[in-house]
Amino acid sequence: MTAIRVLLVDDDPLVRAGLSFMMGGADDIEIVGEAGDGGEVEALVDRTRPHVVLMDIRMPAVDGLTATERLRSRGQAPQVVVLTTFHADEQVLRALRAGAAGFVLKDTPPAEILDAVRRVAAGDPVLSPTVTRQLMDHAADAAADTRRSRARERVAALGEREREVAVAVGRGQSNAEIAAGLFMSVATVKTHVSRILAKLDLNNRVQIALLAHDAGLLDD
């Protein structure tokens, strides 16, 4: 089995050392590089070709948000998981909108961090429905009406079935749960999710959830 290649990005050497030591004991994970600032990320990604980047948010020169936006705007970008000390932080929301696959708290138990890396590498964003709702609620601001209008224009491109799937994704349901609730196969759900991502030019299920929320599809 091919090892999951991971790049660590954090300005604290002790944090990097702890993560490297903890992940070094996993047979299916390989640490391919470390960086102390977001400005180093793109060059390191080109050199080390990681599958997953664990990205700190607060760094002195180029922060993790900017680095995530730059990285995810490129073709064939690795998945990004942001590291944070906050359960609900508007900066985390910005990272998710930029295309990050989720986030983990720095005090998360080692086994759960390893699980998060494996899940993200497999294409499954790491963000619980509860945390998704916290982030969405935290992001409410004066620009909400404008954001809702733009989001509704985008989701208008979806068919009825695709909209139903988008709502279910927004509520944190798995493919199996969506399939059971909408009386379709899991394969059909996956097809709908792929079409939604393509039609709306999104990176992952987290962004579907955010857009569904912005458009007001989860209000009922």
Side-chain angles (χ1 to χ4, degrees), residues 21-102:
F21 177 78
M22 178 263 293
M23 292 186 177
D27 294 336
D28 59 338
I29 294 176
E30 176 187 2
I31 303 300
V32 295
E34 298 182 14
D37 188 76
E40 306 170 41
V41 172
E42 291 184 89
L44 270 173
V45 165
D46 289 339
R47 187 162 69 248
T48 63
R49 301 295 179 184
H51 299 116
V52 177
V53 178
L54 281 180
M55 183 88 73
D56 187 22
I57 290 182
R58 292 174 174 82
M59 290 180 283
V62 177
D63 63 46
L65 302 175
T66 300
T68 297
E69 289 169 344
R70 291 176 180 175
L71 191 59
R72 293 299 300 172
S73 67
R74 302 174 6 152
Q76 301 299 314
Q79 296 294 336
V80 176
V81 177
V82 295
L83 292 164
T84 180
T85 56
F86 299 95
H87 286 273
D89 187 336
E90 190 169 347
Q91 291 183 318
V92 177
L93 186 75
R94 177 183 156 195
L96 296 176
R97 292 188 188 282

Side-chain angles (χ1 to χ4, degrees), residues 11-217:
D11 64 331
D12 188 336
L14 290 177
V15 172
R16 296 200 307 272
L19 289 169
S20 182
F21 177 78
M22 178 263 293
M23 292 186 177
D27 294 336
D28 59 338
I29 294 176
E30 176 187 2
I31 303 300
V32 295
E34 298 182 14
D37 188 76
E40 306 170 41
V41 172
E42 291 184 89
L44 270 173
V45 165
D46 289 339
R47 187 162 69 248
T48 63
R49 301 295 179 184
H51 299 116
V52 177
V53 178
L54 281 180
M55 183 88 73
D56 187 22
I57 290 182
R58 292 174 174 82
M59 290 180 283
V62 177
D63 63 46
L65 302 175
T66 300
T68 297
E69 289 169 344
R70 291 176 180 175
L71 191 59
R72 293 299 300 172
S73 67
R74 302 174 6 152
Q76 301 299 314
Q79 296 294 336
V80 176
V81 177
V82 295
L83 292 164
T84 180
T85 56
F86 299 95
H87 286 273
D89 187 336
E90 190 169 347
Q91 291 183 318
V92 177
L93 186 75
R94 177 183 156 195
L96 296 176
R97 292 188 188 282
F103 78 91
V104 294
L105 301 176
K106 287 189 175 181
D107 60 358
T108 298
E112 292 182 22
I113 294 179
L114 292 173
D115 180 62
V117 169
R118 294 182 180 114
R119 287 173 55 192
V120 166
D124 183 15
V126 180
L127 201 64
S128 71
T130 299
V131 173
T132 299
R133 175 57 63 181
Q134 288 177 333
L135 289 169
M136 289 172 175
D137 290 344
H138 187 73
D141 54 30
D145 289 342
T146 299
R147 190 168 61 242
R148 172 157 295 196
S149 177
R150 291 175 178 172
R152 285 179 172 174
E153 289 178 2
R154 295 183 68 186
V155 299
L158 300 179
E160 181 179 354
R161 213 56 167 154
E162 291 167 341
R163 183 183 293 252
E164 291 175 340
V165 170
V167 169
V169 170
R171 290 176 174 154
Q173 296 180 9
S174 66
N175 286 341
E177 290 170 334
I178 296 172
L182 296 179
F183 304 102
M184 60 177 68
S185 69
V186 171
T188 300
V189 173
K190 291 180 179 179
T191 298
H192 281 308
V193 170
S194 296
R195 287 176 179 169
I196 293 167
L197 293 172
K199 280 187 176 183
L200 303 182
D201 192 26
L202 301 175
N203 286 293
N204 54 46
R205 294 169 71 100
V206 174
Q207 289 189 327
I208 294 177
L210 293 172
L211 188 62
H213 171 268
D214 287 347
L217 300 184

